Amino acid sequence: MKHNKQKNVGVLFEVLNHAVLDEVAQNNIPKAQKLFSLLRENFVKTTEISKAYKVYSQFLYSEALSLIHISRCRR
């Protein structure tokens, strides 16, 4: 089975993020704080996971130039 490490990191970030929001919605603040500390330790500080997530998020959230735009710029 093939996988993409950057996509896996993106999925992990989204799952943790939603888990924090769910716990806050259920008023389970101590569990939400633990999950949030996992996010902060692994995605905010400079770690291998945070580096991979930065690469993934650039692809996910940046605007890509279309092929039509690129061909017009070359002229």
Side-chain angles (χ1 to χ4, degrees):
M1 178 170 70
K2 293 183 179 182
H3 63 87
N4 185 320
K5 290 179 184 174
Q6 279 79 24
K7 286 183 183 177
N8 293 345
V9 169
V11 169
L12 179 63
F13 177 80
E14 292 298 327
V15 167
L16 284 171
N17 194 24
H18 286 288
V20 170
L21 294 174
D22 286 341
E23 294 301 327
V24 169
Q26 295 174 9
N27 206 20
N28 191 354
I29 304 303
K31 190 170 181 180
Q33 288 174 333
K34 288 179 184 178
L35 290 168
F36 187 72
S37 69
L38 280 173
L39 277 171
R40 192 174 35 210
E41 290 171 15
N42 293 296
F43 289 92
V44 176
K45 294 180 180 177
T46 305
T47 61
E48 290 301 315
I49 293 175
S50 69
K51 291 176 188 176
Y53 181 72
K54 286 179 185 175
V55 170
Y56 173 72
S57 65
Q58 286 176 354
F59 288 119
L60 187 63
Y61 299 116
S62 66
E63 292 183 24
L65 296 175
S66 68
L67 292 176
I68 296 169
H69 181 72
I70 292 171
S71 65
R72 289 180 184 167
C73 290
R74 290 183 183 174
R75 293 180 186 174

